[in-house]
Amino acid sequence: MKRLLILLLLLAGCSTTVPVKRTFPEVPKELLTRCPELKEVPEGTEKLSELLSVVADNYGQYKECQISVELWNEWYQEQKKVFDSVK
Amino acid sequence: MWLLHLLPTSLILWIVNIAMIAGLAGILISYFIRFIPFINIYRTPIQIISIIVFCSGIYWYGGYSTEMIWRDEVAKLEEQVKESEAKSKKVNTVIKKVYLDRVKVVKQDVVVIQEKIREVSNTIDRDCKVSPEAVNLLNQAARRKPVVEVEPLKKDDKQ
């Protein structure tokens, strides 16, 4: 009877692991676009208004890139929070 | 234990319980059987078989319990993953919307500024002439690229 009890204590079922598949979140396509090159002032330009126009366009491009980078950071932080919430 | 995956839960539990009960009953019977003449000669084989069956039942019950715990864990995790995927999609939708809205505002601002430049161009251009040196400098600044080049990732770095 003692042997039986010892044997019972020693017996244990084997465990099996089942992998749960997680997919990496897709980044919005809008954030995947590359920042364009800055526009250049055409050679021989003498008018300040034309120069200002190119500069204003470049500022606009910069702003768009700034938005893109800011949102990339935000996207990463938010997705990390969501990822870490699964334990 | 991988065999457990192939069987329905109720059938596994049923088999396990039957094995344990049958084994226990056999052990008890083998204890009392020694008082019954003629039949008591089968006591030892019945006892051995009953112990084996009972131990198998206990072993299977352990496996079954572990299996159920894992299935429960997996179900919980799958649920959490599903929720996180939904949240992730929502984040993407919000980020996309914010991006489009902000870019739209920037584009509108650029259009407004360009319009204003056109409106005051006569005034600006009347008193000022841009020298070619200024244009060259501005273009050089726009063309300037970082001089530091990063080597492509090596195989070891990727891991």
Side-chain angles (χ1 to χ4, degrees):
Chain A
M1 203 64 182
K2 277 182 188 173
R3 283 178 190 170
L4 179 67
L5 283 171
I6 293 165
L7 201 63
L8 288 178
L9 289 171
L10 289 174
L11 287 173
C14 303
S15 66
T16 51
T17 52
V18 182
V20 178
K21 199 183 169 191
R22 295 188 72 178
T23 50
F24 189 78
E26 287 290 326
V27 186
K29 274 187 283 178
E30 287 75 13
L31 296 186
L32 291 172
T33 50
R34 291 172 71 94
C35 290
E37 293 291 329
L38 290 171
K39 285 179 184 170
E40 290 184 26
V41 182
E43 290 289 325
T45 302
E46 288 185 340
K47 288 180 180 176
L48 184 61
S49 61
E50 286 178 21
L51 188 135
L52 271 177
S53 172
V54 172
V55 171
D57 273 344
N58 282 339
Y59 282 175
Q61 276 186 13
Y62 166 77
K63 290 280 175 195
E64 284 183 35
C65 279
Q66 191 184 29
I67 291 165
S68 186
V69 171
E70 275 174 12
L71 289 177
W72 254 108
N73 287 324
E74 210 170 311
W75 179 86
Y76 171 75
Q77 281 163 8
E78 290 298 320
Q79 293 293 359
K80 194 174 184 304
K81 262 189 229 168
V82 171
F83 186 87
D84 291 342
S85 67
V86 179
K87 288 171 187 171
Chain B
M1 283 300 148
W2 60 271
L3 274 172
L4 293 175
H5 290 290
L6 306 172
L7 300 171
T9 314
S10 56
L11 183 68
I12 299 169
L13 191 61
W14 193 73
I15 292 169
V16 166
N17 285 339
I18 289 284
M20 283 200 302
I21 291 164
L24 196 64
I27 292 166
L28 290 173
I29 288 165
S30 68
Y31 181 75
F32 293 109
I33 215 168
R34 64 176 154 183
F35 303 113
I36 304 165
F38 304 114
I39 304 171
N40 60 4
I41 53 169
Y42 300 111
R43 184 178 167 258
T44 310
I46 290 172
Q47 205 168 29
I48 290 166
I49 290 165
S50 300
I51 287 169
I52 290 169
V53 170
F54 183 65
C55 288
S56 301
I58 292 285
Y59 179 78
W60 290 337
Y61 190 75
Y64 168 81
S65 303
T66 315
E67 180 72 17
M68 287 306 112
I69 289 167
W70 277 110
R71 281 188 192 184
D72 195 40
E73 287 290 318
V74 167
K76 276 184 200 165
L77 203 60
E78 277 175 345
E79 188 61 36
Q80 281 185 340
V81 167
K82 208 183 272 180
E83 276 175 25
S84 80
E85 279 174 357
K87 277 184 195 169
S88 173
K89 275 183 188 169
K90 201 176 170 187
V91 167
N92 272 14
T93 313
V94 171
I95 295 275
K96 187 180 171 179
K97 192 181 178 307
V98 170
Y99 176 84
L100 293 174
D101 289 350
R102 287 187 188 172
V103 166
K104 192 180 167 189
V105 171
V106 168
K107 283 189 189 298
Q108 282 171 349
D109 283 353
V110 170
V111 170
V112 170
I113 294 290
Q114 294 290 7
E115 192 57 42
K116 280 181 182 171
I117 290 170
R118 264 194 294 279
E119 280 171 15
V120 293
S121 62
N122 287 334
T123 321
I124 296 169
D125 296 336
R126 191 175 53 215
D127 300 329
C128 184
K129 188 185 167 191
V130 180
S131 67
E133 286 79 15
V135 172
N136 276 339
L137 279 171
L138 198 67
N139 287 344
Q140 273 177 32
R143 277 195 294 263
R144 202 168 54 193
K145 294 219 171 183
V147 283
V148 180
E149 286 181 10
V150 181
E151 279 182 37
L153 283 173
K154 290 174 189 170
K155 251 187 177 177
D156 298 341
D157 297 336
K158 282 182 185 174
Q159 290 168 349

